[in-house]
Structure formats: C-alpha cells, structure tokens
Amino acid sequence: MNPLMKLLHLVAAFGFVGATAATLLLSLTADDSNASAFAVARRAVLTVAQNLGLPSLVLLVLTGMLLTMRHPALVEARWVWAKALIGLLVGGIALLVVQPGVMRAAALAEMVLQGSMSVGPLDAAVRTERIGAAINLALSLTAAALAVWRPRLGRGSGGS
C-alpha cells in the first residue's frame, strides 16, 4: 500500500501544482478587452480550480498525512513539519483566498457580460485570485524542494 500511497501523493501534487499554474496562466492571458472571451476564460479558470485543483489539494493533504503516520521517523523530521506548515498555508490560501476569488471573478465576469455592472469589482477579484495563486505556486514548489532536499533544519535527527 505504501508505493500506491506515494504514487497518489505525487499525482495529487502534480495535479494541484498543474491546476494552480494553469489557472494562473489562463487568468493572466485572458482577453479582458472582449467581455465574452473574458467570461469564457473565467469559466475555464473556475472549471480547472474546482475539478482539478481542489480535489488534488484534498488528496495531497490526506496522502501526506497518511504517509507521515506510517513512518515514525518522518514524524521527527523537521523538514516534514516545515512541509506540513507550508501545506496548511497553501490549503488556507486556496480555500480562503483563491477559490472564493475564482468563484467571485466568474460570477462578476458573467454580470459584466450581461452589462449589469462595471469591471471595477471584477478587477479586484481577479487581482486577489492571481496573487493567491502565485503565492500558492511558490509555496508548493518550496514544499516540493523540501521533499527532495530533506534538510535537517537545525537540531534533531532529520529523518529520511
């Protein structure tokens, strides 16, 4: 079961980082001069975030916790705790900043498309989402580097 759990953890990590990078790229390259094209891009961002990003994040956290519990040496490794802290930050940002921003931007893009509002609130929602996604991408890559490098991070056994 351990190799399967590691594989699921790795696939979930690729899924989350890929979804985060894809939503950020879609958001940054969306044509905001055309309300219809922009609304389509916002729907695409929402679809990727909800159908790949969030499920991958949940699977990533669950498999990470299960793998850590199965190996007592990992519980004492400081790099694992640093990675877990980064995971908490990423999860919090994803659930409290990025996902609400994605949902709000998609809804506001539809309202702009219908002509029922200005683009001001939409710009703010998109900016918040982009900043959160960029931070999550950087934090996720940092967590991956910790998993590969496995530094000792001060006193302690450093378990591998």
Side-chain angles (χ1 to χ4, degrees):
M1 180 163 138
N2 203 26
L4 176 61
M5 192 70 61
K6 286 181 182 179
L7 178 63
L8 286 173
H9 189 68
L10 188 60
V11 168
F14 281 121
F16 181 73
V17 170
T20 302
T23 58
L24 189 56
L25 185 62
L26 282 167
S27 182
L28 291 170
T29 60
D31 180 10
D32 58 359
S33 65
N34 179 331
S36 179
F38 192 73
V40 168
R42 297 311 315 168
R43 279 187 235 121
V45 169
L46 180 63
T47 299
V48 172
Q50 286 184 328
N51 296 322
L52 181 60
L54 286 179
S56 294
L57 178 61
V58 170
L59 184 61
L60 183 63
V61 170
L62 288 176
T63 56
M65 289 184 337
L66 290 171
L67 283 167
T68 302
M69 289 184 338
R70 291 179 58 89
H71 296 283
L74 289 178
V75 174
E76 297 190 24
R78 291 181 183 192
W79 69 267
V80 172
W81 286 102
K83 192 171 173 237
L85 178 61
I86 290 171
L88 282 173
L89 286 171
V90 167
I93 292 168
L95 296 175
L96 300 174
V97 176
V98 177
Q99 192 62 23
V102 167
M103 293 168 55
R104 181 163 166 74
L108 293 174
E110 292 296 328
M111 292 172 76
V112 168
L113 180 60
Q114 296 167 3
S116 61
M117 67 166 282
S118 69
V119 296
L122 174 59
D123 288 341
V126 170
R127 187 173 35 259
T128 299
E129 168 214 316
R130 287 176 182 167
I131 291 169
I135 290 169
N136 266 357
L137 189 57
L139 287 172
S140 296
L141 294 175
T142 301
L146 280 173
V148 171
W149 180 33
R150 298 181 178 190
R152 292 193 67 192
L153 300 178
R155 293 185 1 217
S157 64
S160 296

